[in-house]
Amino acid sequence: MKLTKSLILGSAAMLASAGAQAADLPLKAKAIEYVKICSLYGAGFYYIPGTDTCIKLGGYLRVDAVLGTHADFDAANSGLGGAHNRLSNYYTTLARQDLQIDTRTATEYGVVRTFYEGVFSWSTGGYGGAGSTAVNGSTAYNGSNPAGSGGGQIAGGKLGVYYAFIQFAGFTFGKAESQFRTPWAEYPANNFELPGSGGWDPITQVTYTADFGQGITASFSAQDQVQAYTTNVWNVSGATAAGLAAGAYGANDIGGSRAPDLVARVRVDQAWGLFQASVAAHDNHAGYYGADETTGHASDKWGWAGQLALSIKNLPTGAGDTINLTGVYTYGASSYNFHDYMSRSFAMYGSTGLPGAYQSLGLAGVADSVFVTGAGQELTTTYGFNGGYTHNWDPYWNSSIFGAWAAVRYNNTAKGYICGAMVTTLALSSGAGGCNPDFNYAAIGTKTSWTPVKNLTFTGELAYMMLDQKYAGASTVTLPLQAGIAKPGTAYELKDQNSLVLLLRAQRNF
C-alpha cells in the first residue's frame, strides 16, 4: 500500500514539474503584418494595416527666387513692388513644403475618397515706411510670416490648406478645385499669374458630377464665394485719397454671405485633348451705405461668367507637346477673370517727361460692382484670354511660351461715380480724351525646365506685364503723402506702365 502511494505521489510530482517547465518555455511569436501594396488605384498606394482602405502620401519641396517683384509669382504692380524705389525688393524668396494625403475605399456605392493637401511656407516679405508719416524714414517688416518662439522671424512661417474634400457616389464635399476652372487654370504653360480664366485656388463646395463614359462629364456645383470669388464691391461715396492713390475706387462694402456661386460645367477629356464649357452665377451683396443699418443699402444684383477652354495634345512638334487655350467673359463676377492670386488694385510708378509732374503712375482697379450712397449697384464687365504652348526637347528639357490679355470696362454711370471722386479727391486734370477708369492688362513670357533625374526639376521663367490704363494723355493727379511706400504728396502723370520679372525655381516631388 505504501509502495502504491509512493508511486502515485512520485508520478504527480513529475507531471507538475514537467508542466512548470513547459510554462516557462516562450510562446510562438505572432506573424508580423507587413504593409501591403494596393494596386487598385495606381502606383504609390498601400493598405492601411488592419483595414481595406488604401492610402498614398505625396507632395513636394519648392524653393523660389523671384527677381523684380515682391510677389511669388506676380508682377510688381502695386504696393512696395509698384513703387520702384529704395523700399522695393530686387528679389523675393519662398521655401515651401507641401504634403498630400489621398485615401480610397471600395464600397457597394463605389469608391469613397478623401484628399488633403496642405503647405507650410516661408517668404521674404519686405520693409515699408513705419507709421502714417515716418518723418525719420523708419521702416517696419511687413511680411506675413509669424514670428518664432524666440521673437525673431527666422523660425516663422505660415500654414495653408489647399485641398480637403470627400468624394462619394459622384458627389464632392469640401475644399476642391472650382468646377469653373480648367485643369491648368491660369497656368497654360507657366508659373506666372495670368488673368483670362478661372483661378487655381481650391474652394469649398458641394458638387455632383455625372460621368457619361469616354471622358465626357457634367458637373453642377454650389461653391463658396466669400474669399476667392469676390473682388471688390465699392461704395465710391467712401473713396479716400489714400485709397484712390492705390487703385481702390471706393470703400469696400461687401456684405455677409447670402448665396453660394452656382456653377455648371461640361467637359470632354480624351486622348486627343480636352474641351470644356463652364458658366457661373454670382450674387453681389453689399453692406450698408453708412456706419449703421439705418443708413440703407443697395439691393443685391446677380452677375455671371462664362468660359470656353481647349487643350490639344500629341502635337506633331514632339511627344508630350501641348497647347492650352482659355477665354472668359464676366459681368458682375470679375474674379472669374482676375482671380484671387492676382492684385485687384494697381498702382505702378515710373518716369515722366511731363512738366510739373514728379513721376508717372499707372492707376487701375477692378470690382464686381460700384455704387454711391442712395443708388443701386452698377455691375462691371470684364473679358480676356490666356494660352500657352509647351515643347519637349527631350525627356529632360522642355520650354514654353505663354501670354494673356484681359480688359475691364465700367459702364457710363460707374465711370461718372469714379471720375467724380478722382476730380474731387485727387484733383484729376484730364487730357483731351477725358477721364476713363477702364484698363487692359497683358502679359507674355517664356519658361524652360530641366529635369536631370526623376521628380527633380529646375526652372527659369521670364515674364513681361503691361498695364494699359485709359486715362487720357497728359492727365495728372495730386496724391497725398504715402509714407508706406515713400511717395511724396505731389502731382503725378497718369501713364501706362510695365513690369519685368524672373523666376528661378528648384522643386523635388515625392
Side-chain angles (χ1 to χ4, degrees):
M1 186 68 179
K2 288 183 179 180
L3 178 60
T4 303
K5 183 177 181 181
S6 297
L7 289 172
I8 293 173
L9 290 174
S11 300
M14 291 175 62
L15 290 171
S17 175
Q21 292 175 3
D24 291 339
L25 293 175
L27 297 175
K28 186 178 180 181
K30 292 184 178 179
I32 298 175
E33 186 175 3
Y34 292 98
V35 176
K36 296 186 297 182
I37 293 174
C38 174
S39 59
L40 297 175
Y41 310 110
F45 280 91
Y46 297 86
Y47 283 101
I48 298 174
T51 75
D52 57 356
T53 296
C54 299
I55 188 170
K56 179 180 181 180
L57 301 180
Y60 61 82
L61 196 149
R62 172 185 297 170
V63 180
D64 287 355
V66 189
L67 280 61
T69 181
H70 276 248
D72 186 329
F73 177 41
D74 198 4
N77 53 31
S78 62
L80 291 168
H84 295 121
N85 59 19
R86 290 185 64 83
L87 300 187
S88 303
N89 284 356
Y90 278 10
Y91 69 89
T92 297
T93 63
L94 175 141
R96 171 173 294 163
Q97 175 65 68
D98 175 281
L99 175 64
Q100 301 167 16
I101 305 172
D102 191 347
T103 73
R104 306 190 193 190
T105 306
T107 75
E108 61 268 33
Y109 297 97
V111 175
V112 176
R113 182 191 184 197
T114 68
F115 185 81
Y116 168 84
E117 182 177 359
V119 292
F120 187 85
S121 303
W122 164 264
S123 58
T124 297
Y127 287 87
S132 59
T133 56
V135 175
N136 60 357
S138 62
T139 60
Y141 181 73
N142 61 9
S144 58
N145 304 296
S149 59
Q153 292 297 328
I154 294 176
K158 59 182 179 181
L159 293 170
V161 176
Y162 285 161
Y163 290 89
F165 65 80
I166 300 169
Q167 288 181 322
F168 173 70
F171 286 92
T172 299
F173 308 93
K175 199 168 189 283
E177 70 171 69
S178 169
Q179 303 307 305
F180 189 88
R181 70 166 240 204
T182 63
W184 58 89
E186 69 266 34
Y187 309 117
N190 55 287
N191 298 298
F192 186 77
E193 300 298 342
L194 298 178
S197 68
W200 179 88
D201 204 8
I203 196 73
T204 306
Q205 62 193 267
V206 176
T207 296
Y208 179 73
T209 298
D211 190 338
F212 301 103
Q214 298 184 336
I216 302 173
T217 59
S219 299
F220 305 91
S221 179
Q223 70 178 31
D224 181 24
Q225 58 139 290
V226 173
Q227 183 269 328
Y229 283 92
T230 298
T231 56
N232 297 292
V233 175
W234 280 327
N235 182 349
V236 183
S237 297
T240 64
L244 291 170
Y249 290 137
N252 219 346
D253 195 11
I254 302 169
S257 62
R258 287 297 181 271
D261 283 8
L262 305 177
V263 180
R265 179 183 75 190
V266 175
R267 177 181 287 178
V268 179
D269 189 355
Q270 298 176 341
W272 61 266
L274 177 146
F275 170 79
Q276 176 178 314
S278 45
V279 295
H282 173 80
D283 179 35
N284 292 288
H285 178 72
Y288 295 103
Y289 290 133
D292 66 68
E293 60 189 33
T294 66
T295 58
H297 59 83
S299 299
D300 286 22
K301 276 193 174 181
W302 281 81
W304 62 275
Q307 178 178 264
L308 293 175
L310 177 68
S311 178
I312 303 175
K313 305 175 184 177
N314 302 317
L315 298 173
T317 54
D321 289 7
T322 58
I323 293 177
N324 296 322
L325 300 169
T326 310
V328 66
Y329 184 97
T330 77
Y331 179 66
S334 302
S335 272
Y336 290 93
N337 188 352
F338 288 84
H339 53 83
D340 67 319
Y341 280 11
M342 294 180 62
S343 297
R344 273 78 174 266
S345 297
F346 307 96
M348 304 174 66
Y349 290 84
S351 61
T352 183
L354 185 67
Y358 171 69
Q359 288 180 341
S360 64
L361 170 64
L363 198 63
V366 59
D368 294 335
S369 71
V370 300
F371 62 92
V372 294
T373 298
Q377 298 185 69
E378 302 295 330
L379 301 186
T380 306
T381 297
T382 82
Y383 43 90
F385 67 89
N386 64 46
Y389 164 68
T390 299
H391 173 64
N392 293 278
W393 301 101
D394 57 35
Y396 309 102
W397 290 89
N398 69 70
S399 297
S400 67
I401 55 174
F402 58 87
W405 180 90
V408 173
R409 299 291 182 262
Y410 294 97
N411 66 27
N412 289 334
T413 302
K415 288 178 181 177
Y417 296 157
I418 294 170
C419 291
M422 293 286 287
V423 170
T424 301
T425 310
L426 297 186
L428 170 66
S429 174
S430 300
C435 171
N436 185 355
D438 294 346
F439 70 95
N440 300 331
Y441 186 105
I444 57 172
T446 183
K447 174 175 70 74
T448 293
S449 296
W450 175 47
T451 304
V453 296
K454 185 178 180 180
N455 294 327
L456 176 64
T457 301
F458 299 93
T459 298
E461 182 171 341
L462 187 68
Y464 179 72
M465 170 264 172
M466 297 151 283
L467 179 66
D468 174 21
Q469 52 90 49
K470 299 300 181 182
Y471 292 103
S475 294
T476 61
V477 289
T478 301
L479 302 186
L481 168 67
Q482 299 175 83
I485 59 172
K487 290 297 180 182
T490 186
Y492 294 80
E493 177 192 10
L494 294 179
K495 184 180 177 182
D496 297 348
Q497 303 291 336
N498 56 71
S499 172
L500 181 67
V501 293
L502 173 66
L503 167 71
L504 302 174
R505 170 174 291 176
Q507 180 164 318
R508 170 76 162 101
N509 298 332
F510 61 88

